[in-house]
Amino acid sequence: MITTCGFTLADWQAEAVHAWENNYPAGPYRGTLEIVTGGGKTLIALVCAARAALRDPDLRLAVVVPTEALARQWQVALARYTNLTQPEIGLLGAGGDDDFSKCRAVVSVLNTAAKRLPALARTAQPLMLVVDECHRAGAPTFAKVLETPAEYRLGLSATPDREEFDDTGQPLRYDEQLVGRDLGPVVYRFTLRDARLAGWLPDYDIHHHGIQLSPEEQRQYDQISRQVDDLGDELRSLGLEIGRAQQLQKRRDEVGLLARRYIAATSRRKDLLYRAAHRARVVIRILTQTLESGQARRVLLFHERVSEAVALHKELAMSMPGISIALEHSRLGDRTRVEALESFRTGEAQVLVSVKSLVEGIDVPEADVGISVASTSSVRQRIQALGRVLRRRFDESAQRKHADMHLIYVAKTVDEQIYAKEDWADLTGAGANRYWLWSADPAALPQSMPGPPASPRPTEEQEWDRLQRRRPDAPIAWRGSMIGQEYSVDTLGTVTNSAGTIISNPQDVAALVARVRGRPGGRFRVTPIHRLVLVWGDSAEGLVPYVTGQLAEPFEAEVGRHEDGSHAESVDSALLKPGTVLVEAPNKTGGSFRLRQKQGGVIERRSPDGTVEFARVDDDAPAALVANARRVLDNWRQLFDRGITFFLSEEGQAWYVEGGKRFHLAHVPGGFSWPS
C-alpha cells in the first residue's frame, strides 16, 4: 500500500486533500486542485494517493507531466516522500519504457502518455491518474490521455482554465471543458493572492522594466501593427471576434484564410518584440547590479524562444566572463539538460538561462532572482514565472529568503496589455512592485515611474457593486472592460453567437440593445458572472460601452440538428402559409440571401468573388425561377416592412428566423435565376 513519509502538510494543504477526497457533487476521489506555483502540489497529490490507497491497498499510480525535467522531479519526490522503492517507480517516455507489470507508480511525459497510457492502464487496476499542469492535457494532441481508465482522478495546475467553446460556439466553464469533465471540477483554490495573504510566500520585490525599440524596430513595429489592425477590422466586420482567431483559422474558407493571416501578422509582431535589441542590454545591467551586491544570488532567466535564449546565453557569457552561466532548453539532450539544472541547484552555475519549459512545474527553490527577459501577454504564464522565484524555503534553520523578480516589457507596445488584464498590485501587494523606464541611451539610468504603464478597468464584481447589485432600469455607462461572449441580434430579434449559432432563449435582449443604439439590431456582450448586457453607444465623449440590462437566465445555443442537410422537412413546404412557425429546422444548403427594399424589393446574394448579385425577375429568365423570386418578394411584402435575411433548403423551402424561431417564407423549388 502506498504511504507517505518525511513531511507534514500545512493546514490549507490538508483542506485541499479533504476537498478532493470528499468531492461529493462530482463524486469523491476526483477533482482538480488550483494551487499557486510553489504551493506544494506534488506533496498534496502524494497524500491524495495515500488516502486512495487506504481504500484500495493494491492501488497503482499514473502521474502525467508535460516535460521530461518534471518527470524526473516526480521520480525523485516519489522515492523521497513515499514508501515506494526505486524499482517500483517507472518512467514512460523521456527515455523510459516502463509499465505496471513491475512498477507500482509510472511517471509519464504527456506526449507519450497520450499515445500509450490508456492501453497500459487497462490491466493496472485499481488506478489513480494524476495529471500535473493539467491545462496542457486539453490540447487536441494530448487529450487522449484523459481516456486512461482510472477510478481515482486528480488534476493539478496553478491556472487550470483554458479558453474553450462548444460545437455551437458557446464558451465553456472549466467543469464543462474536456479536462474538467474527465478529471473533475476545481474543488479547491489557493491562488497567488491567497498565498500572499496567508504569509506563504517569502519576502520579495517585483521590478517592472519598460525598454524602448530602436528607430528601425519602431518602424517595423508600426508597419506590422497597421497590418494587424486592418486584418482585425476585417474579422470584426464579418461579425467575428479576434479572440477566436485561433479557432477560426481551422476553417477552409475565406474566414479561415483571414484568421490565418491575422495570426501570422501578430506572430511577426511578437517575434519583433522578443528580439528587441535593448532587452539583452537591460538584462546585463540588472545582472551586473544583482551580482555586485556581494550576496550569493541564484538568477533564473526566462525567454520565449530557443533561438533568442541561445543568443542571450552567448552574449552574457561574453559580457560576464567571470560568472558561470548554464543554458537549458528543449532542444538540448537529456543529459545536458539534467547537468544544467543540477549545476544551478548546487550553485556551480550562478545563472541559468532557460525557455518557458522551466516556467511550468520545475521546482528550483534555490532561485532567488528571476528575470523574465521576454514573455507573452498570458496572465497564466506570468503567474507561473513569478511562482518559480517566489518559492519559500522550508528549512527553518536557513536565513529567510528574499526574492527579486524582474519583468522586462517593451514600452508603448502591445507588451503593456498584460497590465490592463490583471491588477498585479492586488495579486502581489502594492508595496512590492517597482516600475522603471529605460531610455535608449546605454549610459542612462532607468527612470522611476509612479505606477504600471496600464491599469485594469474595474472587474465585473466591482461594477456589479457599483450598480448596487441590481439590474439597471436604463442604460448606464460601463466602466469595466468589454468582457464576456459576443453576440449579435438582427432587426427581427434573432440572436446568434460568434459562431453563427441561433440562441433559443433570446429573452428581451433585442429591446435592450435598441435602447442604447436607437435602432434595432447590433452586437453586444454578456458578462460571464452576472449576465449583464453590454452595448457600445454614443456619448459626449464618443463611442462608449453601456450596461443596458441583465439576462434572467443564461443563453442557450440551439443545437442545429438538421442544418447539415441530413434530415428532410417532415412537412411539405408547398402547403405552408407564409409566416408559419417551423417545428423542425430546415437546412441551409440552398444558400443565404438578403431581401432589400431598394427598387421596390430585390433578392440579393454575395458571389464567391465578393460581388453582389440580384435574382432575375425579367421575362428573359426561366419562367419557373422568375415565379419563385416573385413569390418570395410578394410573401415578404405581406409580412415585413423592412429587409430581412432568409435561407433556402435543399428541398426548396425559403425560410427565415425571427426572435429565435424559424418561419416559412415560400416554396421555391429550383431556387432563383442569377446573372450569368
Side-chain angles (χ1 to χ4, degrees):
M1 183 174 70
I2 298 174
T3 60
T4 60
C5 57
F7 67 95
T8 301
L9 294 183
D11 289 344
W12 70 264
Q13 293 174 318
E15 290 174 8
V17 174
H18 180 79
W20 175 79
E21 191 179 8
N22 297 276
N23 178 25
Y24 291 110
Y29 301 101
R30 74 188 295 267
T32 301
L33 303 180
E34 182 179 330
I35 305 293
V36 64
T37 303
K41 291 190 292 290
T42 302
L43 299 182
I44 295 172
L46 294 180
V47 174
C48 287
R51 295 291 177 82
L54 286 174
R55 188 170 180 238
D56 271 316
D58 293 331
L59 183 77
R60 300 290 189 270
L61 180 63
V63 179
V64 178
V65 297
T67 64
E68 296 180 7
L70 189 51
R72 289 187 286 269
Q73 183 174 297
W74 264 92
Q75 282 186 296
V76 171
L78 283 163
R80 180 176 179 182
Y81 296 116
T82 74
N83 62 332
L84 297 177
T85 62
Q86 202 74 47
E88 292 179 299
I89 304 169
L91 182 65
L92 181 62
D97 192 30
D98 294 318
D99 57 31
F100 295 98
S101 60
K102 296 181 180 179
C103 300
R104 294 291 303 275
V106 173
V107 182
S108 180
V109 180
L110 182 56
N111 57 357
T112 304
K115 299 171 186 175
R116 299 182 57 189
L117 189 59
L120 293 176
R122 291 193 191 105
T123 57
Q125 300 298 321
L127 181 72
M128 177 171 174
L129 173 67
V130 178
V131 184
D132 199 357
E133 307 299 344
C134 61
H135 54 273
R136 295 278 203 98
T141 311
F142 304 134
K144 282 283 186 183
V145 75
L146 299 173
E147 298 176 9
T148 301
E151 180 179 355
Y152 306 92
R153 308 175 76 84
L154 172 63
L156 302 170
S157 178
T159 49
D161 278 301
R162 293 169 54 88
E163 187 179 75
E164 288 187 17
F165 299 84
D166 64 16
D167 293 338
T168 66
Q170 287 292 95
L172 297 173
R173 303 185 308 270
Y174 176 75
D175 58 352
E176 299 173 326
Q177 295 172 13
L178 183 62
V179 176
R181 291 199 312 267
D182 287 352
L183 295 180
V186 174
V187 297
Y188 191 84
R189 284 186 171 90
F190 191 75
T191 65
L192 180 61
R193 185 177 184 274
D194 294 330
R196 174 175 67 83
L197 295 176
W200 183 258
L201 303 176
D203 298 332
Y204 59 87
D205 289 300
I206 303 174
H207 302 266
H208 307 259
H209 302 270
I211 64 170
Q212 310 294 325
L213 293 173
S214 70
E216 175 58 22
E217 289 171 341
Q218 187 67 56
R219 185 193 67 79
Q220 294 180 38
Y221 176 84
D222 293 340
Q223 181 183 34
I224 298 173
S225 292
R226 285 192 293 270
Q227 296 173 1
V228 171
D229 292 342
D230 290 344
L231 291 167
D233 288 342
E234 286 189 60
L235 282 170
R236 280 185 287 265
S237 71
L238 298 174
L240 302 167
E241 294 185 82
I242 60 174
R244 296 188 64 237
Q246 289 288 349
Q247 283 187 313
L248 295 171
Q249 69 170 330
K250 300 172 185 177
R251 292 174 49 166
R252 297 181 178 274
D253 56 10
E254 291 184 12
V255 169
L257 176 61
L258 184 59
R260 289 190 291 275
R261 290 174 58 200
Y262 175 81
I263 292 171
T266 57
S267 295
R268 288 196 301 273
R269 185 166 65 180
K270 280 182 186 177
D271 288 341
L272 173 67
L273 294 178
Y274 291 158
R275 296 193 303 270
H278 289 303
R279 287 192 191 271
R281 174 176 69 86
V282 171
V283 168
I284 292 172
R285 289 283 294 273
I286 294 171
L287 261 181
T288 301
Q289 184 176 0
T290 297
L291 299 179
E292 281 179 349
S293 65
Q295 301 178 42
R297 310 299 298 269
R298 305 275 187 85
V299 187
L300 188 56
L301 279 73
F302 303 106
H303 216 303
E304 272 291 305
R305 298 280 192 269
V306 170
S307 56
E308 276 76 39
V310 172
L312 177 64
H313 176 260
K314 183 177 180 180
E315 187 166 352
L316 292 177
M318 293 175 59
S319 303
M320 310 178 76
I323 304 297
S324 176
I325 304 172
L327 175 66
E328 192 278 343
H329 60 74
S330 59
R331 296 181 190 172
L332 295 172
D334 289 350
R335 182 174 179 179
T336 303
R337 298 181 72 182
V338 170
E339 290 175 350
L341 286 170
E342 190 58 28
S343 67
F344 184 70
R345 285 195 175 100
T346 61
E348 180 182 346
Q350 198 169 355
V351 179
L352 176 63
V353 180
S354 179
V355 190
K356 59 184 179 183
S357 60
L358 260 189
V359 169
E360 289 185 342
I362 297 300
D363 186 6
V364 281
E366 296 80 10
D368 56 359
V369 179
I371 303 177
S372 182
V373 183
S375 65
T376 68
S377 59
S378 165
V379 172
R380 168 190 287 143
Q381 188 170 321
R382 174 162 290 191
I383 290 174
Q384 295 271 12
L386 287 169
R388 296 276 71 79
V389 176
L390 304 187
R391 285 178 177 268
R392 59 184 288 183
R393 291 193 181 109
F394 292 95
D395 184 355
E396 296 183 1
S397 63
Q399 182 179 357
R400 182 173 174 84
K401 177 179 177 178
H402 182 96
D404 289 287
M405 187 73 192
H406 298 268
L407 304 164
I408 299 176
Y409 67 93
V410 182
K412 308 298 182 184
T413 72
V414 293
D415 260 9
E416 293 183 345
Q417 290 179 355
I418 194 169
Y419 293 98
K421 292 181 178 180
E422 190 69 55
D423 186 348
W424 298 99
D426 179 62
L427 279 179
T428 60
N433 291 271
R434 309 281 188 276
Y435 297 91
W436 309 94
L437 183 63
W438 295 72
S439 75
D441 181 3
L445 294 174
Q447 177 185 356
S448 176
M449 304 300 290
S455 298
R457 291 179 176 272
T459 65
E460 181 182 354
E461 283 294 348
Q462 289 169 334
E463 282 293 85
W464 184 233
D465 287 338
R466 184 173 68 88
L467 295 171
Q468 298 181 341
R469 307 187 77 80
R470 294 185 304 180
R471 169 182 174 142
D473 297 325
I476 299 174
W478 177 257
R479 297 175 183 173
S481 299
M482 285 294 280
I483 57 173
Q485 172 79 333
E486 186 175 65
Y487 298 87
S488 295
V489 58
D490 65 15
T491 56
L492 300 183
T494 300
V495 178
T496 54
N497 62 22
S498 54
T501 305
I502 294 173
I503 299 301
S504 60
N505 57 335
Q507 301 164 69
D508 60 346
V509 76
L512 294 177
V513 173
R515 71 181 187 177
V516 172
R517 291 172 52 82
R519 58 187 185 278
R523 297 181 197 167
F524 63 97
R525 287 179 181 266
V526 177
T527 65
I529 301 174
H530 298 291
R531 303 187 299 276
L532 301 173
V533 179
L534 308 181
V535 184
W536 287 97
D538 294 322
S539 73
E541 291 79 30
L543 208 60
V544 299
Y546 289 87
V547 52
T548 181
Q550 183 184 30
L551 299 181
E553 60 186 16
F555 276 157
E556 293 182 4
E558 187 175 78
V559 178
R561 293 169 293 169
H562 312 300
E563 294 184 7
D564 61 356
S566 61
H567 184 85
E569 292 96 30
S570 58
V571 179
D572 186 352
S573 64
L575 304 177
L576 298 177
K577 293 181 179 180
T580 301
V581 176
L582 301 176
V583 177
E584 297 288 351
N587 59 61
K588 299 179 181 178
T589 54
S592 173
F593 310 92
R594 288 281 296 171
L595 281 161
R596 296 189 181 277
Q597 292 180 308
K598 58 186 177 182
Q599 300 175 13
V602 295
I603 300 173
E604 172 187 297
R605 77 172 182 183
R606 190 170 293 275
S607 66
D609 63 2
T611 59
V612 174
E613 299 177 332
F614 302 100
R616 296 176 63 183
V617 292
D618 57 279
D619 294 337
D620 294 333
L625 302 186
V626 169
N628 283 346
R630 290 175 176 170
R631 189 177 306 117
V632 165
L633 290 167
D634 289 342
N635 292 354
W636 163 60
R637 293 187 187 103
Q638 294 177 33
L639 297 167
F640 297 101
D641 59 358
R642 59 188 182 278
I644 67 168
T645 296
F646 74 95
F647 311 97
L648 188 61
S649 75
E650 184 180 12
E651 294 76 16
Q653 182 177 32
W655 58 281
Y656 62 94
V657 182
E658 182 176 12
K661 296 180 179 179
R662 293 170 173 80
F663 297 86
H664 174 75
L665 180 59
H667 180 63
V668 288
F672 315 108
S673 176
W674 303 94
S676 58

